[in-house]
Amino acid sequence: MSATPTEAADAVDAGALADFPVGEIRTVTVGRMEVLVVQTAPGEFRAVSGVCPHKGARLAFGDLGGTMLPSGQGELCYAREHEVVRCPWHGYEFDLESGEMPFSDLSHKLRRFPVEVVDGRVTVARRPRQS
Ligand code: FES
C-alpha cells in the first residue's frame, strides 16, 4: 500500500471516510498489526487491535453489536449498538471503547488506537493508547 498525502510518520491512512459505513468493521495494517476500525455512530470512530487475545482469532471476522445495560427487575435494556465486537471463535466480547471484556473475569484486553478524520480521510495513530 502506498502512502497518501495525509499519511504522517505517526499515523496510517486507513481510507476515505465514505469507505467506513456506520456499524461495519474495516481493517488497516499498522506496523505488522491488523487493526479494526469502526465508525460506531456518525463521526464516532474506534480502532482496536484485530487479534483476539484469548486464542488468536481474527476479530475482523467477528460480529458487531451492542450490550445489555444494568436495568431494573423485569427490564431488558439493550444499548451501545456497534460498540462491542464478538470473537468468531469462542464468542468472547470486547468493548471497543475500553478494549475490555464487559462480562468476563478474564483480563484480556484489546489495544486501542486514536483515530482522526483529516480532510475526508480516516487516520489511525501508529502508537496505541497507553491507558
Ligand atoms: S479466540 Fe477469541 S474468544 Fe477465543
Side-chain angles (χ1 to χ4, degrees):
M1 184 170 120
S2 63
T4 69
T6 58
E7 190 161 321
D10 59 349
V12 173
D13 181 81
L17 177 59
D19 294 333
F20 291 82
V22 171
E24 294 194 17
I25 296 173
R26 297 290 184 260
T27 63
V28 63
T29 301
V30 177
R32 292 182 297 172
M33 179 186 305
E34 183 174 71
V35 171
L36 304 189
V37 183
V38 177
Q39 186 172 197
T40 56
E44 291 290 324
F45 282 84
R46 304 287 182 264
V48 295
S49 48
V51 174
C52 180
H54 178 230
K55 297 283 184 182
R58 281 187 70 199
L59 293 174
F61 296 130
D63 294 320
L64 278 180
T67 191
M68 302 304 291
L69 298 180
S71 54
Q73 186 174 5
E75 295 177 346
L76 294 175
C77 185
Y78 180 83
R80 303 193 60 212
E81 184 68 12
H82 312 309
E83 295 183 34
V84 175
V85 63
R86 184 175 306 105
C87 180
W89 283 4
H90 307 107
Y92 286 152
E93 295 179 334
F94 296 89
D95 182 327
L96 297 180
E97 172 71 29
S98 67
E100 296 174 347
M101 303 170 74
F103 299 112
S104 175
D105 293 334
L106 299 176
S107 59
H108 298 309
K109 186 175 178 180
L110 302 177
R111 287 195 241 175
R112 299 168 299 136
F113 294 79
V115 186
E116 282 187 316
V117 179
V118 179
D119 297 330
R121 306 290 298 182
V122 178
T123 63
V124 177
R126 291 182 187 275
R127 292 181 184 271
R129 296 181 192 280
Q130 294 304 308
S131 59

